[in-house]
Amino acid sequence: MDRHVNLANLDLNLAVALRALLEERNVTRAGQRVGLSQPAMSAALARLRRHFSDELLVRQGNRYELTPLGTALRAPVANACAVLERLFTSRADFRPGVERRDFTLLSSDYAIAVFGARLARVLHEEAPGVRLHFRHVPRDLVENPEALLSGVDGMLMPHGVISGMPAVELYRDEWVCLVSDEHPGDVTMDDLARLPWVVYQRTFDAPVTRQLTMLGLEPRVEVSVQSFQLLPALVAGTRRVALVQRRLAELLRGLAPVRTLPCPFEAVPLQEALWWHPVHTHDAAHSWLRETAARVAAELGDLPGA
């Protein structure tokens, strides 16, 4: 049965102590990390054990190990602390020319190349005190996107993967077929069924592959890779075919002896967006970041070669 917890009756400092204990797995080191003495941290651990009715940390030989509940609490408490840090560092206004701020965005290498690099240049010019950190989207994104977004400032991701989170629309893109320069003629559906493929490994970042499955076509994958930008090099000089975003293909033009051809089916276009957790909505610095992202996206213009 779920327990109702009144936040007014909780000491939120315990969240900081819990995070340190679960990550350090050592009472002394956890105390040093948060500025508490060893006895004070031991007392915090005792309070946490009473609250959760679980040992959380158990000694095995000369070290501590996490209980199953302790292991399960590591990610949620880290996210909770990140939300609290962002909440209490929120400002009523933000002056990009003089203030310091770190922003962390989850993204694929495609979105970084096509959009993130442009955003970083604008931040360099307009906000010299801002640092931008890009991190790869983890594999467990679809399991709990709200928890994932609570620990970062946002995520660059097309529609169709997550929902229920606020987003600012950025730009449109479309899928094209990538083949070697020696490929004769256009690409047909028979080619897609017959030729070997190079694919991006994580299908949630390339929903067009799901559409192929719905059309009854199972690509014969010969090479898979975790980078969209490596697709041209793995297609060049082979009979392989790949699906790549048109904007990225134009950006990489000339780096490998490949060419792009129209898809022989109605490939669902991409609508890229910047997603964020609602806790950031009214933060002035975050609002500035979203407005800047929308302005940078508008400067991308129409699809090249469309």
Side-chain angles (χ1 to χ4, degrees):
M1 182 179 296
D2 292 337
R3 294 188 302 168
H4 176 73
V5 177
N6 186 345
L7 287 178
N9 296 328
L10 289 179
D11 178 0
L12 293 183
N13 286 319
L14 287 176
V16 179
L18 177 61
R19 181 182 185 180
L21 285 163
L22 297 182
E23 293 181 356
E24 297 294 339
R25 302 188 188 192
N26 181 282
V27 174
T28 301
R29 288 199 304 269
Q32 293 171 344
R33 173 169 163 176
V34 300
L36 292 178
S37 65
Q38 196 274 343
M41 182 55 79
S42 294
L45 176 58
R47 292 177 62 188
L48 288 164
R49 284 169 166 167
R50 288 194 298 271
H51 175 81
F52 288 105
S53 300
D54 188 89
E55 288 296 295
L56 301 176
L57 292 167
V58 292
R59 183 178 290 278
Q60 292 189 359
N62 59 353
R63 69 182 190 278
Y64 282 98
E65 295 293 340
L66 300 183
T67 66
L69 178 60
T71 300
L73 289 174
R74 279 195 64 178
V77 74
N79 288 332
C81 288
V83 169
L84 289 172
E85 288 167 0
R86 284 169 170 77
L87 175 65
F88 286 102
T89 56
S90 297
R91 300 281 298 277
D93 57 10
F94 179 69
R95 296 170 297 166
V98 298
E99 294 192 37
R100 294 185 175 275
R101 177 71 182 254
D102 284 20
F103 291 107
T104 299
L105 298 179
L106 302 176
S107 177
S108 67
D109 70 308
Y110 150 72
I112 295 173
V114 170
F115 174 77
R118 289 174 176 262
L119 178 64
R121 284 196 293 272
V122 171
L123 266 56
H124 171 73
E125 295 168 358
E126 300 181 5
V130 165
R131 294 192 301 180
L132 187 58
H133 307 273
F134 288 109
R135 286 168 36 193
H136 284 295
V137 181
R139 290 182 176 274
D140 59 354
L141 160 67
V142 295
E143 295 178 8
N144 195 344
E146 183 174 0
L148 180 65
L149 285 175
S150 69
V152 296
D153 291 288
M155 176 172 61
L156 302 175
M157 179 67 64
H159 284 269
V161 180
I162 67 170
S163 61
M165 292 287 106
V168 58
E169 305 302 329
L170 296 178
Y171 61 89
R172 286 176 62 83
D173 208 341
E174 64 183 17
W175 296 98
V176 293
C177 291
L178 190 70
V179 295
S180 177
D181 276 347
E182 293 81 18
H183 182 86
D186 292 329
V187 172
T188 66
M189 288 299 291
D190 181 65
D191 289 330
L192 297 186
R194 175 178 53 85
L195 296 175
W197 281 69
V198 184
V199 300
Y200 184 76
Q201 287 180 1
R202 302 190 303 182
T203 56
F204 68 71
D205 283 332
V208 71
T209 57
R210 296 199 297 269
Q211 188 178 357
L212 284 173
T213 302
M214 293 174 63
L215 293 172
L217 192 153
E218 292 289 342
R220 181 164 63 88
V221 177
E222 193 169 86
V223 180
S224 63
V225 65
Q226 286 191 344
S227 168
F228 284 111
Q229 296 184 64
L230 291 178
L231 295 177
L234 294 168
V235 165
T238 74
R239 297 174 57 250
R240 298 174 187 140
V241 62
L243 288 172
V244 67
Q245 304 90 341
R246 182 182 291 277
R247 291 185 186 274
L248 181 62
E250 292 294 327
L251 190 66
L252 301 178
R253 182 181 294 275
L255 296 182
V258 295
R259 61 194 179 104
T260 58
L261 295 169
C263 289
F265 62 95
E266 292 289 333
V268 177
L270 297 172
Q271 176 61 52
E272 194 76 9
L274 170 60
W275 306 81
W276 72 90
H277 192 281
V279 72
H280 304 308
T281 298
H282 301 295
D283 176 53
H286 204 277
S287 295
W288 172 84
L289 176 68
R290 300 194 303 266
E291 292 166 1
T292 303
R295 172 162 51 90
V296 171
E299 295 170 356
L300 278 173
D302 295 331
L303 283 170

